[in-house]
Amino acid sequence: MLSEKIAANLNRSSWIRAMFEEGEKLRAIHGDDKVFDFTLGNPDTEPPESVKNALKKLAMGDMPGIHRYMNNAGFIDVREAIAAQLQKESGVPLTSEHIVMTCGAAGGLNVVLKTILNPEDEVIVLAPYFVEYLFYIDNHGGVPVIVNTSPADFQPDPQELEAHITPRTKAVIINSPNNPTGVVYSEQSLRRMADVLEAKEKEFGNTIYVLSDEPYNKLVYEGIALPQVLQIFKNSFVINSFSKSLSLPGERIGFIAVSPGLEYCNRIMDGLIFCNRTLGFVNAPAMIQKVIAGSLGEAAAVNHYREKRDILYNHLIDLGFSCIKPEGAFYLFPKALIPDDVEFAGIAQKYNLLLVPGKGFGWPGYFRLAYCVSLKTIEGSLPAFEALATEMRSKA
Ligand code: PLP
């Protein structure tokens, strides 16, 4: 029989499966092209040519040893390339000694949490949040503490943060560009967070780590420059992946970068490498490590995502929805037209629109649209949103 904990977690996330099954049902009845599925953050675009070419070259070539076990931190040349790229972007001096290659950001987050958490340590998660964080924290005996961002703009709220820090706080997870809102946390917000954390570290005599989950960092619009977490927070880990930036989610490739200023940096690196091994990842997949090393500065389909964002966002605003215009990632997080977001998502299904209720991200009353779908789906969905808004208005 299942463990009690997994059984409880399955129950808690059963609505996700129910939604998926509902989508399958609608597709079977109406056909794929009549169902507008905005539920999954699974990019519909292909990886860039450079990635495909590198993969072909590697597969056709005969590099001795490419398929063997390696250092659990990953190939040294790949880690060097990532360190150099991050140094260029952040201005922070980094070497391969600060990088661990991981099985995506999900693998990286689990490795960091495993490395730093003692039982019952608290990890702050900013809402709205990527729901998997709660399970990852639980995986390693931690306790999630939810702190709301500012409802006006979904930026971190330093006062809320301060009010939730206790002597057991071990870490704060931040995610910008954010899933589900698409919001980019401003430099000012992050610096204010850093001030709060520093004061609390002094008060309690503890280190509070920042885990910056950045899989969308290459998907930013209007030329926005992302604030550099490694510069702002001394005790920080950047966790990143190529799932979204290079459209490679199935290949499970990402990395952890530790801030060179991190206290006990070498010891922590030893812990990360040990946990990468003993969580059973052993090392990140070999061939795809080599492949991404040649495409580090690239981003797949940013202009396509921006076009899709603009079409959908403008249409929703014209229909009277309220929504913050996202500056990154590929999500919109509008307010539902009735207070009950689950009921709203149910009504949307009548129009073959599949949305995720905000409740799933710890933020009821809203819904998430993942617009990493085809332009045809976006354009086909516009009359359905209009019909939905008309029905809701007629009931108001
Ligand atoms: N973090 C966030 C915010 C995500 O949205 C996702 C995937 O959707 C992940 C982490 C996991 O990404 P990966 O495929 O790199 O494990």
Side-chain angles (χ1 to χ4, degrees):
M1 202 33 202
L2 283 182
S3 82
E4 283 164 22
K5 193 174 179 179
I6 297 300
N9 283 345
L10 271 183
N11 278 346
R12 229 175 283 152
S13 59
S14 62
W15 62 274
I16 298 177
R17 200 173 40 205
M19 233 176 51
F20 180 75
E21 281 164 9
E22 193 54 40
E24 291 292 288
K25 216 160 47 186
L26 287 177
R27 271 187 279 270
I29 299 170
H30 304 285
D32 258 2
D33 58 332
K34 297 284 182 314
V35 177
F36 311 111
D37 187 346
F38 292 99
T39 56
L40 287 181
N42 198 6
D44 83 314
T45 47
E46 290 302 309
E49 285 306 306
S50 64
V51 168
K52 288 197 232 171
N53 289 337
L55 195 51
K56 280 183 212 155
K57 207 165 142 200
L58 205 61
M60 301 306 284
D62 215 0
M63 192 187 272
I66 179 82
H67 304 297
R68 292 189 195 139
Y69 290 126
M70 68 193 76
N71 182 320
N72 301 115
F75 287 120
I76 184 125
D77 57 326
V78 176
R79 291 159 60 212
E80 273 166 4
I82 289 184
Q85 175 72 22
L86 273 184
Q87 177 165 327
K88 198 163 90 186
E89 288 169 5
S90 69
V92 172
L94 292 160
T95 71
S96 59
E97 296 297 306
H98 300 109
I99 310 292
V100 181
M101 300 306 296
T102 61
C103 292
L109 284 160
N110 274 281
V111 166
V112 175
L113 290 167
K114 182 79 178 170
T115 304
I116 61 172
L117 290 185
N118 288 312
E120 305 301 313
D121 276 351
E122 293 171 2
V123 180
I124 290 180
V125 172
L126 304 184
Y129 49 72
F130 176 55
V131 71
E132 303 297 83
Y133 295 151
L134 308 190
F135 300 118
Y136 299 165
I137 293 165
D138 182 56
N139 281 345
H140 308 294
V143 178
V145 173
I146 309 300
V147 172
N148 285 347
T149 53
S150 158
D153 54 10
F154 298 125
Q155 290 287 329
D157 177 338
Q159 277 157 0
E160 275 292 301
L161 175 68
E162 188 172 15
H164 286 82
I165 296 177
T166 76
R168 288 230 67 109
T169 305
K170 180 54 79 66
V172 182
I173 301 181
I174 57 174
N175 167 228
S176 167
N178 182 262
N179 175 7
T181 64
V183 163
V184 172
Y185 292 168
S186 70
E187 170 119 19
Q188 191 196 25
S189 305
L190 296 182
R191 292 218 177 264
R192 287 169 69 196
M193 271 184 79
D195 291 343
V196 169
L197 294 180
E198 205 178 308
K200 285 288 175 186
E201 283 180 325
K202 276 202 190 111
E203 181 183 338
F204 296 129
N206 292 340
T207 300
I208 305 175
Y209 297 104
V210 171
L211 277 52
S212 183
D213 178 29
E214 304 188 0
Y216 303 96
N217 76 330
K218 292 281 181 293
L219 305 184
V220 284
Y221 310 119
E222 280 93 33
I224 283 180
L226 282 185
Q228 292 301 322
V229 164
L230 290 174
Q231 263 187 16
I232 298 172
F233 301 97
K234 178 168 155 257
N235 289 306
S236 55
F237 299 83
V238 164
I239 296 106
N240 208 334
S241 86
F242 301 91
S243 295
K244 319 289 171 164
S245 60
L246 297 180
S247 292
L248 290 170
E251 300 298 342
R252 312 309 305 135
I253 185 69
F255 64 86
I256 303 163
V258 300
S259 158
L262 194 77
E263 289 161 17
Y264 309 109
C265 188
N266 293 342
R267 193 90 181 114
I268 294 229
M269 277 299 290
D270 289 346
L272 295 174
I273 296 166
F274 173 81
C275 290
N276 207 31
R277 181 182 111 213
T278 55
L279 280 173
F281 298 122
V282 182
N283 56 250
M287 279 178 68
I288 204 74
Q289 282 192 49
K290 294 280 185 192
V291 167
I292 55 91
S295 301
L296 294 179
E298 288 193 48
V302 184
N303 289 338
H304 293 279
Y305 289 137
R306 190 179 44 223
E307 183 187 1
K308 290 169 188 177
R309 175 200 67 172
D310 288 345
I311 295 173
L312 210 47
Y313 172 82
N314 290 337
H315 188 65
L316 291 177
I317 296 297
D318 287 348
L319 291 174
F321 283 87
S322 104
C323 181
I324 289 176
K325 190 169 188 180
E327 294 176 320
F330 41 53
Y331 303 105
L332 287 168
F333 199 59
K335 197 166 182 183
L337 296 176
I338 49 174
D340 185 336
D341 50 309
V342 178
E343 187 188 344
F344 182 74
I347 298 170
Q349 279 184 2
K350 281 200 318 202
Y351 300 95
N352 293 346
L353 285 169
L354 303 181
L355 332 164
V356 189
K359 182 181 161 220
F361 307 96
W363 204 269
Y366 285 68
F367 63 97
R368 189 192 76 173
L369 296 170
Y371 58 82
C372 49
V373 295
S374 71
L375 198 54
K376 202 165 139 241
T377 300
I378 304 253
E379 284 169 344
S381 73
L382 301 181
F385 278 110
E386 191 164 349
L388 172 65
T390 306
E391 173 179 341
M392 301 314 295
R393 261 198 306 271
S394 74
K395 284 185 174 159

